[in-house]
Amino acid sequence: MKELNWETDLEWFFLRFWEAYPKERRMEKLKTRAEFERVIKKRLATPEQLIEGAERYADYCRATDRDPHWIVYPARWLKYGRWSDDYRAELDRTHPALRGIAEARTH
């Protein structure tokens, strides 16, 4: 298998991000795609960091049974750098009994 390159394989990375994001708010795909590309091109994050962040956010939303109304739209999530949020700390603060779920993603 060839090594992936963010410049030539951007669509592949974006689709992985899209699939990782909480399905209840997968909306505004074109806007999200543009924001994903902006973040990558400005080197604010790698595609892998965005995908892993989306996975952590989806885990957090599932673990806390988050009302879909309160799940951030993906373009906005990208715009405000939410991939770097510490969802484990948020779980500790709001749902201490669920900490193990968030920790599983980091090991």
Side-chain angles (χ1 to χ4, degrees):
M1 183 175 166
K2 74 175 185 123
E3 187 173 323
L4 295 174
N5 177 302
W6 73 263
E7 292 175 333
T8 58
D9 299 306
L10 191 61
E11 188 62 23
W12 184 85
F13 283 114
F14 174 71
L15 292 175
R16 284 190 55 213
F17 168 81
W18 190 254
E19 287 301 312
Y21 204 80
K23 66 179 182 195
E24 299 83 0
R25 281 293 183 147
R26 286 187 208 148
M27 299 173 188
E28 301 179 337
K29 191 172 187 177
L30 292 177
K31 185 176 181 178
T32 302
R33 171 71 165 71
E35 195 61 33
F36 183 89
E37 187 170 341
R38 182 192 71 79
V39 169
I40 300 302
K41 285 188 174 182
K42 287 192 169 222
R43 300 192 184 277
L44 300 174
T46 66
E48 293 86 357
Q49 288 171 319
L50 298 179
I51 293 162
E52 290 167 6
E55 289 170 344
R56 286 192 315 274
Y57 184 54
D59 287 346
Y60 168 77
C61 291
R62 277 190 298 276
T64 59
D65 198 24
R66 195 158 185 90
D67 183 330
H69 177 77
W70 297 109
I71 296 174
V72 180
Y73 284 108
R76 185 177 183 89
W77 187 89
L78 289 164
K79 181 178 181 179
Y80 291 106
R82 302 287 305 270
W83 64 85
S84 62
D85 286 1
D86 186 353
Y87 297 105
R88 288 177 302 166
E90 182 66 14
L91 275 176
D92 280 349
R93 190 177 66 73
T94 60
H95 298 79
L98 299 176
R99 180 172 171 81
I101 294 168
E103 285 181 341
R105 275 272 185 219
T106 61
H107 297 302

